[in-house]
Amino acid sequence: KIQYQSVEKLLMANVVTGAASMFRREMLDKILPFPQYIAASFHDHWIALCCINFGKISFLNHVLQDYVQHSNNVIGAGRNLQKSYNFNKIWYFIRGFLPWILPKRLKKFRYHGETFYLNDIVRLELLSRSLSAVSDISSFDEFSIIKRNGFLKISLRAFLSNFLRLSTLHAESQIIQSFYWKACCNNLHSGFYTEKIDEISGERKEDYTVNDLFSAAEYLKKKISSVKFNIIDDASIAVNLLIPSFAPEITYGGYITKFYLARLLEEAGYNVRLLIVDDDIPTDIEKSSIEISKILGDKNLFSNIEVINISNRDENLISFSPNDRIIATTWWTAHIANAITSNLKENRFFYLIQEYEPFTFPNGSFKATAEESYNLPHYPIYSSSILKSYFEEKLTSPNHLKARSASGVSFNNPITQVYCNSEKELSGRENFKILLYCRPDAHASRNLFELALLGLDSFLSDSNKEVDYVVSGVGSSVSKITEYEFSENFVLKLYPKMKLNEYSSFVASHDIGMALMHTPHPSLVPIEFASGGLVTVTTSYENKDQEYFNSISPNIIVAKPTIKDLETQLRNAAFRCRDTKARIQNAKVKWPTVKEYKDSLKPILEFIQKNSES
């Protein structure tokens, strides 16, 4: 039988369901605002406490609502309420006080006890003090569930709840066990309780810590370890591209360049092999070949290219000819390439450099090992002239100069083709849409995700905006469309990865782009956005400035990587995106697209041919 007349019992266990109740309008002044949310606080519990404190609660014994319960409820009461009270219930109650003899419950008792304490003690204390604040009743000033009800009374009711259906729904049992957990916590500082748990569960804390400490070292070792190979007596030449993964979900940007380069080399008469060196993404070569070919619109892309998975480098044996050429495509594949070429006639590998990769790490072992890759003997291939300039101006130590050939080559990664909409369509839009290239992942910190959000927030906080803005985000790892309310100024709507044709149409449906990059590489995304007619804000770095981007497209605006300047340049973009004729004109970016990949990658082919002559 439910109890809704006693403040103490109603405080312990709410039996007033919000969806099945109503209250007088004048109670709103007492009810609002709701107390701070903590643990399992519910609005209807607070409403019921206010109502019983200032008046009374009446029960209307009529069925006025359908409420469906079944065995697989997502929320709602479970089937346990319908089970009989038996020995299992009593044992469940007793074992809550004996965590050290039940190894399966140790971790739950240890790590989730605080949650139980918040639910059963702190939450009730907060409700009681909040009720005192609105009612000026002194008896609520200092909360003590034990003093209010008596320790023996609560303990007795806690035990009886295993046999009887009490109106407080086992609340006393939870309260007693919560206090017991708190008492156990007092022994944590002495180390007794922690040692006892580790002893019984067979888990020593220092073992876990050691494994955790060494995991990064093991991962780095795995990354740069050489492949298992042999040298065969063969006069032919194969060009081997070392790539981390081979999967459709990573086919964008740099990977598109790698796949098209393989195709171009194959068309030039080389035997080409793609060697997959990592197992981070599960690889199904046959399926991935079909899917990647569909994405890039070339069903014959891998017809004459051999794709080999050597990610298990300790077991997979790969053969090389003394005349083979090796192309590294990342900093760790550079270390692998160096181990191979030291056994070939040509001891330099070709290094496809698409970024100054040490910038992807904080100072530490990974950054140092990435920096070392540029000290290994190689022929450098830079994915933009400005990136080439950065290397030649900044990396001038004797080791760097000795490692790289005197004359590297630069090229421009082909971008995804984005077609700008017509002037009529652009000028007919009621609201401006902002497209943010957002990469929250730690390894993509150079995309300044946090600064981008803060700059947007500052820009959108202007109460004098003439139009409303819709903010979309691409580039994150979400699996479905997800909305995130960053502030009262805007909601960011994140979109999952798309096929290239879908991505092209999606980009063109926006007006303002924001794609930041805090490295010397220009990034392809702001160029793609600009080609879709978006007035796009990106960031400067070293000699990567407005003059450089003007040579690509005036649709690109360069901001300093500060919140204030990002806000300023977003205002500039908002003003300029009204000039639809200029947007369309400037969408003709001076940069190759994937349809022009042969012209884009021709400098690489000529460079490899020149440095592969016998």
Side-chain angles (χ1 to χ4, degrees):
K1 185 178 179 179
I2 63 173
Q3 174 57 260
Y4 50 85
Q5 302 299 334
S6 166
V7 176
E8 284 79 8
K9 290 182 179 179
L10 188 60
L11 183 64
M12 279 194 276
N14 179 36
V15 293
V16 179
T17 306
S21 61
M22 57 183 175
F23 56 86
R24 296 184 184 277
R25 168 62 182 81
E26 54 265 29
M27 281 303 301
L28 271 182
D29 295 334
K30 306 292 185 181
I31 292 169
L32 297 178
F34 289 107
Q36 178 183 338
Y37 180 86
I38 182 172
S41 301
F42 291 102
H43 62 281
D44 48 13
H45 194 188
W46 172 248
I47 292 172
L49 289 171
C50 288
C51 289
I52 197 173
N53 186 59
F54 292 101
K56 65 178 182 178
I57 297 175
S58 298
F59 178 71
L60 185 62
N61 195 16
H62 297 286
V63 177
L64 299 174
Q65 183 187 59
D66 283 334
Y67 189 78
V68 180
Q69 295 278 85
H70 58 86
S71 60
N72 294 312
N73 291 329
V74 176
I75 60 173
R79 289 177 293 175
N80 286 339
L81 291 178
Q82 302 171 12
K83 291 182 178 179
S84 61
Y85 287 76
N86 50 32
F87 177 76
N88 289 334
K89 289 288 182 182
I90 301 172
W91 174 237
Y92 183 83
F93 169 74
I94 294 174
R95 72 182 186 177
F97 297 94
L98 304 173
W100 44 79
I101 66 168
L102 295 168
K104 290 183 179 180
R105 287 187 54 83
L106 283 172
K107 290 183 179 179
K108 188 171 184 179
F109 185 83
R110 179 181 181 183
Y111 297 113
H112 296 287
E114 183 177 5
T115 302
F116 303 150
Y117 187 77
L118 286 173
N119 279 334
D120 302 322
I121 303 299
V122 180
R123 177 177 61 87
L124 301 186
E125 180 176 359
L126 178 65
L127 286 173
S128 182
R129 291 182 178 180
S130 300
L131 198 59
S132 172
V134 299
S135 62
D136 296 325
I137 299 177
S138 59
S139 61
F140 283 102
D141 286 347
E142 185 175 349
F143 174 79
S144 173
I145 194 70
I146 297 295
K147 290 182 180 179
R148 184 178 295 279
N149 294 275
F151 179 79
L152 290 177
K153 179 181 177 182
I154 289 183
S155 300
L156 179 61
R157 287 179 63 88
F159 182 72
L160 290 176
S161 66
N162 294 287
F163 305 94
L164 305 175
R165 296 179 184 271
L166 300 182
S167 62
T168 45
L169 305 174
H170 300 284
E172 292 90 349
S173 175
Q174 295 166 349
I175 288 169
I176 289 294
Q177 291 195 30
S178 296
F179 273 114
Y180 175 68
W181 174 85
K182 184 66 173 177
C184 288
C185 285
N186 292 334
N187 290 319
L188 283 175
H189 296 293
S190 68
F192 166 79
Y193 187 60
T194 304
E195 291 176 7
K196 180 62 70 174
I197 289 179
D198 290 339
E199 177 186 335
I200 295 177
S201 64
E203 179 181 302
R204 301 300 299 179
K205 186 176 181 181
E206 56 266 25
D207 291 339
Y208 169 79
T209 304
V210 166
N211 290 336
D212 188 50
L213 287 174
F214 279 84
S215 61
E218 293 288 350
Y219 184 70
L220 179 58
K221 176 185 176 182
K222 178 182 176 182
K223 272 290 190 187
I224 64 175
S225 63
S226 178
V227 297
K228 190 176 181 180
F229 66 93
N230 60 6
I231 307 298
I232 59 175
D233 188 12
D234 189 343
S236 64
I237 300 176
V239 178
N240 302 270
L241 277 82
L242 305 180
I243 60 173
S245 303
F246 187 72
E249 57 263 34
I250 47 86
T251 302
Y252 52 85
Y255 271 98
I256 292 177
T257 296
K258 297 169 192 177
F259 297 148
Y260 275 134
L261 176 59
R263 175 63 183 272
L264 192 63
L265 288 165
E266 179 267 321
E267 290 177 344
Y270 289 99
N271 295 322
V272 180
R273 298 193 299 185
L274 291 174
L275 306 182
I276 307 164
V277 300
D278 288 354
D279 58 3
D280 296 343
I281 300 177
T283 301
D284 184 328
I285 292 177
E286 183 177 356
K287 183 179 179 181
S288 293
S289 297
I290 296 171
E291 291 298 318
I292 295 170
S293 298
K294 286 181 180 178
I295 290 172
L296 299 181
D298 186 348
K299 64 179 181 180
N300 298 315
L301 186 61
F302 301 107
S303 297
N304 298 310
I305 296 173
E306 192 174 5
V307 184
I308 307 173
N309 187 354
I310 57 171
S311 58
N312 191 340
R313 301 182 212 162
D314 292 331
E315 296 182 8
N316 297 122
L317 179 66
I318 186 79
S319 298
F320 295 101
S321 160
N323 300 306
D324 276 4
R325 298 295 183 266
I326 311 296
I327 302 177
T329 59
T330 58
W331 65 268
W332 63 96
T333 58
H335 286 272
I336 301 171
N338 183 60
I340 298 170
T341 54
S342 60
N343 293 273
L344 305 179
K345 287 184 177 179
E346 173 55 72
N347 64 0
R348 287 180 185 269
F349 59 90
F350 293 96
Y351 197 167
L352 182 60
I353 301 172
Q354 303 197 68
E355 177 61 282
Y356 183 65
E357 291 186 284
F359 282 154
T360 61
F361 301 105
N363 283 341
S365 301
F366 283 81
K367 183 174 183 178
T369 311
E371 289 174 338
E372 183 193 0
S373 69
Y374 305 118
N375 288 336
L376 305 174
H378 66 279
Y379 294 107
I381 303 171
Y382 304 102
S383 64
S384 66
S385 59
I386 200 166
L387 186 61
K388 181 175 184 290
S389 298
Y390 179 85
F391 271 76
E392 292 178 347
E393 292 173 10
K394 299 295 182 181
L395 278 65
T396 58
S397 71
N399 286 338
H400 283 300
L401 297 176
K402 181 181 178 181
R404 66 180 183 235
S405 63
S407 57
V409 68
S410 67
F411 73 102
N412 292 328
N413 295 71
I415 61 170
T416 301
Q417 181 73 61
V418 180
Y419 296 100
C420 182
N421 286 309
S422 67
E423 184 179 355
K424 181 179 180 181
E425 198 280 334
L426 292 178
S427 58
R429 295 176 181 175
E430 295 182 3
N431 298 326
F432 284 165
K433 297 176 70 176
I434 300 174
L435 181 57
L436 171 65
Y437 183 57
C438 48
R439 303 284 303 281
D441 317 270
H443 69 272
S445 58
R446 64 192 186 278
N447 291 114
L448 304 178
F449 173 68
E450 299 82 5
L451 269 183
L453 290 181
L454 295 175
L456 269 172
D457 191 37
S458 183
F459 164 66
L460 295 173
S461 64
D462 185 0
S463 59
N464 296 318
K465 296 190 302 291
E466 296 180 7
V467 296
D468 293 326
Y469 292 90
V470 177
V471 184
S472 307
V474 291
S476 68
S477 55
V478 295
S479 58
K480 61 181 180 180
I481 297 175
T482 306
E483 291 189 352
Y484 181 78
E485 184 176 357
F486 182 72
S487 73
E488 61 182 10
N489 298 318
F490 76 100
V491 174
L492 179 62
K493 194 171 186 178
L494 296 169
Y495 287 81
K497 293 188 184 300
M498 311 171 190
K499 294 181 179 179
L500 293 184
N501 59 336
E502 295 174 348
Y503 169 76
S504 175
S505 300
F506 181 73
V507 169
S509 68
H510 293 76
D511 303 281
I512 298 173
M514 196 175 188
L516 313 185
M517 176 64 84
H518 196 55
T519 69
H521 189 262
S523 177
L524 302 184
V525 181
I527 304 173
E528 290 173 345
F529 284 6
S531 71
L534 282 67
V535 182
T536 302
V537 177
T538 191
T539 42
S540 60
Y541 189 89
E542 297 284 347
N543 59 339
K544 188 179 70 174
D545 53 17
Q546 187 66 63
E547 181 181 359
Y548 170 76
F549 279 106
N550 281 343
S551 67
I552 301 171
S553 169
N555 267 350
I556 301 175
I557 300 174
V558 178
K560 298 174 184 176
T562 66
I563 298 172
K564 184 177 180 180
D565 204 45
L566 286 171
E567 177 190 355
T568 299
Q569 299 309 332
L570 281 169
R571 293 184 192 282
N572 187 11
F575 174 77
R576 287 174 52 178
C577 74
R578 299 174 187 276
D579 189 347
T580 53
K581 289 184 178 179
R583 286 170 59 184
I584 294 172
Q585 179 64 34
N586 297 334
K588 300 173 183 177
V589 299
K590 295 178 181 177
W591 201 272
T593 66
V594 289
K595 290 186 177 181
E596 303 161 317
Y597 79 90
K598 291 185 179 181
D599 292 333
S600 171
L601 304 181
K602 186 178 179 181
I604 305 180
L605 176 61
E606 293 176 346
F607 185 68
I608 292 175
Q609 289 173 331
K610 176 184 176 182
N611 292 283
S612 297
E613 296 173 356
S614 301

